[in-house]
Amino acid sequence: MNKESKHQNRLADSQSPYLLQHAYNPVEWYPWGEEAFEKAKQENKPIFLSIGYSTCHWCHVMEHESFEDTTVAELMNQNFVNIKVDREEMPEVDHLYMSVCQAMTGRGGWPLTIVMTPEKEPFFAGTYFPKDGRGQRPGMLQLIPSLANAWSTKQGEIRESINKVQDYLIRINTSVPGGEWDETMIRDAFGQYASRFDPDYGGFGRAPKFPSPHNLILLTRYSKIYDDPTALKMVETTLHYMRLGGMFDQIGLGFHRYSTDKRWLLPHFEKMLYDQAMLSMAYLEAYHLTGNEDYANVAREIFTYVLRDMTDKDGGFYSAEDADSEGEEGTFYVWDEEELIEVLGEKNGKIMAKVYGFLEVGNFHDEATGQTTGKNIPYFQDNRAGLAKKFEMSHEELNEVIETSREKLFEIREKRIHPLKDDKVLTDWNGLMIAALALGGQILDEVEYTNAAEKAAEFIHKKLRDKNGRLMKRYRLGKAGLSPHLDDYSFMVWGLLNLYEGTFNVKYLSRAIELSEIMDEDFSDENGGFFIGSKDAEKLMVRAKDSYDSAIPSGNSVAVMNLFRLSKMTGDKKWTDLADKTLMAFTDQAKQSPTGFAHMLTGFMFDLKDPKELVIAANGYDEKVNELIRKIRGTYSPNKVVLFKDISDTKDIEKIAPWVAAHSIMDNKPTFYVCENFTCKRPTTNIKTVLNYISE
C-alpha cells in the first residue's frame, strides 16, 4: 500500500526513517511502548516483533512481499499485536532478541523476526520470511496460522521454550570476574587472523567478506609493537584490494557495507556512517606507519564523501544511504558500456570500460539469484600499468583520464534517482566520525577535517544533551530524543579524546571526563563491564551487555581504550582500575574467541606495552610550536598520549591533570617531557630527541 492511500498506522508519528517506511503498511504496526504491550495483555495476543533498519535491503524485500500484502496483514492483525523497532535507535532491544535468534536458530541478521508474550518473553525467532514458503523457508501465510495455533493449544511447550531462553540469556549476560589478561591472548588472536587470512585478496574467511576495520587497526599496531611484517602484510593486502573493488564506490567515493564475493568486487550497496569512520581510521593508521600515500588518499576520499553527502548543515553526520533505489538494489550504482561511451566519448568510454572491469554480459550479479543483470559495477583491475601500455599511454596520462572520467560520471549519476538517505543523527556514530576526522586532521595535517570534527562535537553538545547533561540518542528534524546507550558515551568519549589531541582545547578533555563519569554511574556493572542500557532504562528480560566486536567495536571495547587513555592523561588511577575491571569481566570469552575482542585487545595492548605520556610545555601556541607538533604527529607512535600546557594559562589543564603542574619551559623554548612506566626522561627542547623517545 502506497503513501497516496488514506491508511496509515501508528508509525506515522515516528521520527525514525525506518519506522516511517512502514507507516503506510496495512499491518497495524505499533512502535515499541506500553500501548502495544497493554493491548496484547488485554486481548491475550502474542507480540509480533520486527526489527530492522532503514537501509537494510532484505527488510525492504520483506516489507514489499509480506507487510504490504493485505492478506498477510489481515492475518497479522487478527493474531498478533505488531511492533516495529529501529535497531539503530533501540540497540539494547535488538541485541537481546538477536541473541535469542542466534540461540534458537544458529544464525541471525535483519530483518529480525521475534514472536513473544505480552511480557516480552520470546518463543519464536527467525529473520526474513516471504509471503509464500520457498524450499525449507516457511512463508508468512503458513507461519502465522502455525504460531497462532501454538499460542492457543501449546502453552506448556511455549513456557518450556521461554524458560530455556531466559536461562540462556541470564547465563550469557552474567559477568563472573575472570583472571587477568595476558600477552598470550594477543598472540592467539594473531594466530587466528593468520589462519583465516586470504593471501590473494585480503580479508579473513570466505565470502561474504566484511571490512571489520578494528581487526586491521589491531594488526597494524601489532606489526609495529612486535616488529612483525606478517601482520602488516595482512593489513596492506586487505586495504589494497578493498579500495580496488566494487565495495568502494569508484564514482562517488566512500565504502559500501560488505562484499558478497571474496575479491571485494560485488558489494551489498548500503553505505553506513560507521563504516566510513572506522575504515578511514584503518587507512590512516596504515598510512601513518608505512608512509604509503595511497592509504592517505583513501582516507581523504572517504572524508570527501562524508562531508559532501552525509553532513547536516549544522554539523552533525547522517546515518546511512540505502542499497535500493527505484525498488531495486544497486540501481543507482551500476552502468553499461554504452552509458560510458555516451558520457565520455568513444575513446575514453572504451578505456574506462576496461579500467572498470566491465563485461558485455555485465559483471553485476543479482544477490538473491546469482544471475548476471547486464549491468556493471565499476572496480579496478590490479593491472593499471598493463592497461596504460595497452592504450599506449603513460601512467600519468591514464590516471588523468580516470579522474576526469570519474568526475563526469559522478555528475551524470547525480541526476539519477538517489537511494534513500537516513538523515537521523545518532550520537554514537557521530562519535566515531568525530574520532576519525580528528585523527585525520592530525595525521594528514588538514584543518578542514579538524574543523568538521569540532563542529559535529559542538552539535552533539548543544543538541543532544538533556538538562542534566546526559546524552540523548537521536536527532532528526529539529528534535532530539530517545534514551542513550553505552555506545553513545564510549564512542563520544573516543571522539572527544581525539579532538583534544588534535586541538589541545581543554574543553574536549573536560567533556570526555564528564561523559566517562556519567557512563560509570549509569552503565557500570558491579562485577565489571558496562551494560548496553542505563540503570534507568526500560526493564527487559535481562540487562544485557555487549562485548563482542561486530561491524564496529563494542561499547565495552571502546570504553577500555578510552579509560586507559584517560588515566594516562589525567594521572587518575581510578580510570585504570575501571578499565582493568572491565577487561576481567570478559576474560573467559576473550580467551575463547580473541578475534571477537579485537578493539579490547588493542586497548589491553596499549596498557601492556607501557604507553608514553608526552607533555609539551610552551608559552602560547604559535606557528613555531605548531611546526614542532606536526613533526610529533608525523611519527607513528600509537602507544602514547599527548598533552599541551600553555604556561601563560595553566589553570584548566592543571585542574584536569595535576601531575603536569611542575612542567615548565627551559631556555624560553618549547619543552618536552616524556614519561613511561612511572619513569621520566630528562626534559628536552630538542625535537629530534623527543621523536627518538616516542618512536622507541
Side-chain angles (χ1 to χ4, degrees):
M1 187 169 293
N2 60 41
K3 295 183 179 182
E4 282 70 38
S5 75
K6 293 183 179 180
H7 179 273
Q8 65 179 29
N9 54 51
R10 288 166 176 81
L11 302 184
D13 296 327
S14 174
Q15 288 290 309
S16 161
Y18 175 64
L19 299 190
L20 289 170
Q21 289 171 2
H22 296 78
Y24 293 86
N25 294 167
V27 178
E28 291 295 340
W29 292 115
Y30 286 76
W32 181 279
E34 281 306 310
E35 182 184 7
F37 296 114
E38 190 57 37
K39 179 179 174 66
K41 290 174 186 175
Q42 290 176 357
E43 298 181 6
N44 190 30
K45 286 182 177 179
I47 300 281
F48 185 98
L49 172 65
S50 178
I51 302 176
Y53 57 100
S54 68
T55 58
C56 165
H57 170 67
W58 287 103
C59 299
H60 300 328
V61 174
M62 188 168 176
E63 178 191 17
H64 177 68
E65 293 181 345
S66 296
F67 302 146
E68 291 181 348
D69 184 88
T70 54
T71 304
V72 173
E74 185 177 355
L75 281 172
M76 291 177 67
N77 295 337
Q78 286 175 355
N79 292 283
F80 305 123
V81 173
N82 303 292
I83 295 178
K84 263 287 174 189
V85 164
D86 183 338
R87 67 171 295 263
E88 296 166 359
E89 294 191 341
M90 303 190 76
E92 81 281 25
V93 172
D94 176 63
H95 177 83
L96 179 70
Y97 292 112
M98 184 61 73
S99 299
V100 170
C101 184
Q102 291 167 335
M104 295 180 80
T105 70
R107 59 183 183 272
W110 299 275
L112 175 60
T113 301
I114 298 290
V115 182
M116 60 187 185
T117 72
E119 290 73 32
K120 309 169 192 171
E121 303 164 316
F123 60 89
F124 176 84
T127 53
Y128 158 76
F129 293 100
K131 176 183 177 180
D132 296 296
R134 299 173 189 167
Q136 298 299 310
R137 186 183 298 273
M140 292 289 283
L141 293 180
Q142 297 80 49
L143 184 65
I144 297 170
S146 175
L147 289 167
N149 179 65
W151 180 256
S152 300
T153 64
K154 299 180 179 178
Q155 280 292 321
E157 294 179 23
I158 287 175
R159 179 49 52 189
E160 185 178 347
S161 175
I162 289 170
N163 290 340
K164 289 179 179 178
V165 168
Q166 189 162 29
D167 289 344
Y168 169 77
L169 292 174
I170 291 171
R171 187 171 68 256
I172 65 170
N173 287 287
T174 300
S175 290
V176 179
E180 293 187 356
W181 286 39
D182 59 68
E183 198 164 11
T184 60
M185 298 165 71
I186 302 171
R187 301 283 192 182
D188 288 346
F190 173 78
Q192 289 186 16
Y193 288 125
S195 68
R196 294 169 50 222
F197 176 65
D198 178 354
D200 296 322
Y201 301 105
F204 305 94
R206 296 177 292 180
K209 280 185 177 176
F210 294 82
S212 301
H214 40 279
N215 296 331
L216 303 177
I217 293 170
L218 170 63
L219 287 168
T220 303
R221 296 191 178 194
Y222 181 98
S223 73
K224 169 69 173 179
I225 291 169
Y226 293 97
D227 192 23
D228 190 327
T230 307
L232 185 59
K233 179 69 174 176
M234 287 192 277
V235 172
E236 292 204 87
T237 303
T238 304
L239 294 178
H240 176 73
Y241 283 104
M242 282 200 301
R243 174 58 181 84
L244 291 181
M247 201 184 82
F248 187 82
D249 180 359
Q250 305 294 345
I251 306 300
L253 312 177
F255 279 93
H256 299 294
R257 178 73 278 274
Y258 64 87
S259 174
T260 62
D261 67 291
K262 69 178 182 178
R263 297 177 62 193
W264 309 101
L265 300 186
L266 303 177
H268 198 56
F269 285 95
E270 69 248 43
K271 287 182 173 179
M272 312 301 296
L273 180 67
Y274 59 73
D275 281 325
Q276 315 311 318
M278 291 300 303
L279 279 162
S280 60
M281 285 193 277
Y283 278 95
L284 286 167
E285 288 255 354
Y287 164 67
H288 209 187
L289 175 60
T290 67
N292 187 334
E293 283 290 337
D294 288 345
Y295 303 144
N297 288 333
V298 179
R300 292 187 182 101
E301 290 171 328
I302 295 171
F303 293 152
T304 295
Y305 161 68
V306 170
L307 296 178
R308 183 192 68 215
D309 292 347
M310 298 294 287
T311 305
D312 179 84
K313 63 180 176 58
D314 294 323
F317 301 113
Y318 301 138
S319 295
E321 289 193 300
D322 209 332
D324 296 16
S325 59
E326 302 180 66
E328 293 185 14
E329 184 185 13
T331 298
F332 181 75
Y333 297 101
V334 295
W335 303 78
D336 56 46
E337 187 169 338
E338 287 72 23
E339 289 177 284
L340 264 62
I341 293 171
E342 183 180 344
V343 175
L344 304 175
E346 182 80 16
K347 180 182 177 182
N348 284 354
K350 288 187 176 296
I351 289 174
M352 292 307 300
K354 289 291 185 184
V355 168
Y356 283 152
F358 281 22
L359 299 175
E360 189 173 335
V361 296
N363 67 26
F364 178 59
H365 297 71
D366 180 80
E367 186 178 353
T369 66
Q371 299 299 309
T372 55
T373 64
K375 295 289 186 178
N376 292 273
I377 180 72
Y379 72 90
F380 281 112
Q381 301 181 70
D382 196 20
N383 65 339
R384 199 171 297 191
L387 287 170
K389 185 177 180 180
K390 176 181 174 66
F391 297 122
E392 299 181 341
M393 305 169 73
S394 70
H395 193 73
E396 290 73 21
E397 288 172 329
L398 180 60
N399 283 341
E400 178 65 22
V401 169
I402 289 172
E403 183 53 27
T404 56
S405 297
R406 186 197 69 78
E407 291 173 355
K408 289 178 181 178
L409 292 170
F410 177 76
E411 289 176 7
I412 294 298
R413 199 181 76 174
E414 282 294 281
K415 298 175 183 178
R416 296 178 176 178
I417 297 173
H418 281 242
L420 171 83
K421 194 187 302 291
D422 187 329
D423 60 355
K424 66 177 181 290
V425 176
L426 293 173
T427 299
D428 50 355
W429 297 1
N430 270 251
L432 290 179
M433 200 68 236
I434 291 165
L437 284 162
L439 185 66
Q442 294 177 59
I443 293 173
L444 303 176
D445 194 25
E446 293 281 357
V447 68
E448 175 190 8
Y449 304 148
T450 305
N451 290 343
E454 287 198 273
K455 189 174 181 181
E458 290 304 311
F459 180 93
I460 301 296
H461 188 72
K462 293 175 180 177
K463 303 288 191 179
L464 278 155
R465 293 191 309 148
D466 65 19
K467 61 183 181 181
N468 298 314
R470 281 168 164 75
L471 294 172
M472 290 182 279
K473 182 76 184 176
R474 180 254 292 138
Y475 181 93
R476 186 171 184 267
L477 299 177
K479 296 180 180 179
L482 301 178
S483 299
H485 301 92
L486 172 63
D487 288 7
D488 298 305
Y489 282 89
S490 61
F491 293 2
M492 269 306 301
V493 170
W494 189 358
L496 291 167
L497 291 177
N498 281 11
L499 255 185
Y500 170 73
E501 291 194 324
T503 65
F504 297 120
N505 189 328
V506 180
K507 73 178 180 182
Y508 298 125
L509 184 52
S510 178
R511 289 176 187 175
I513 293 169
E514 179 186 356
L515 292 182
S516 296
E517 288 172 340
I518 295 173
M519 182 183 74
D520 183 26
E521 180 181 347
D522 288 0
F523 296 88
S524 281
D525 179 8
E526 64 181 10
N527 292 318
F530 301 91
F531 295 108
I532 299 172
S534 77
K535 62 184 181 182
D536 299 323
E538 177 184 359
K539 299 298 185 286
L540 300 172
M541 288 182 71
V542 297
R543 195 176 178 195
K545 289 180 186 175
D546 186 12
S547 56
Y548 288 90
D549 300 336
S550 52
I552 54 179
S554 72
N556 275 286
S557 289
V558 174
V560 166
M561 176 64 88
N562 292 342
L563 294 167
F564 280 134
R565 290 175 72 186
L566 270 178
S567 182
K568 293 298 178 183
M569 287 178 169
T570 64
D572 192 339
K573 188 174 178 297
K574 75 177 182 182
W575 301 121
T576 296
D577 292 341
L578 191 55
D580 286 337
K581 191 175 180 181
T582 303
L583 286 174
M584 288 189 287
F586 306 113
T587 302
D588 293 342
Q589 298 99 307
K591 284 186 174 181
Q592 290 173 9
S593 179
T595 56
F597 290 78
H599 198 76
M600 200 173 289
L601 282 169
T602 303
F604 170 63
M605 191 164 61
F606 174 89
D607 184 63
L608 179 70
K609 294 301 178 178
D610 299 325
K612 299 174 176 67
E613 302 127 20
L614 169 61
V615 179
I616 306 162
N619 190 8
Y621 195 112
D622 56 19
E623 184 52 39
K624 182 180 178 181
V625 172
N626 197 39
E627 184 57 36
L628 294 171
I629 290 171
R630 284 194 186 101
K631 292 179 179 179
I632 291 168
R633 289 171 175 165
T635 301
Y636 185 65
S637 177
N639 270 29
K640 72 174 186 307
V641 297
V642 185
L643 287 88
F644 181 79
K645 180 181 177 181
D646 183 350
I647 65 167
S648 66
D649 184 12
T650 64
K651 182 178 67 173
D652 290 340
I653 189 64
E654 289 182 0
K655 182 180 179 182
I656 290 173
W659 65 279
V660 306
H663 293 47
S664 59
I665 62 174
M666 301 189 308
D667 302 327
N668 203 32
K669 296 178 180 178
T671 304
F672 305 94
Y673 298 79
V674 179
C675 298
E676 178 183 4
N677 195 24
F678 308 104
T679 303
C680 295
K681 306 284 189 180
R682 186 186 297 251
T684 182
T685 60
N686 188 314
I687 186 63
K688 291 183 179 178
T689 302
V690 174
L691 297 180
N692 287 333
Y693 283 164
I694 65 174
S695 61
E696 291 176 347

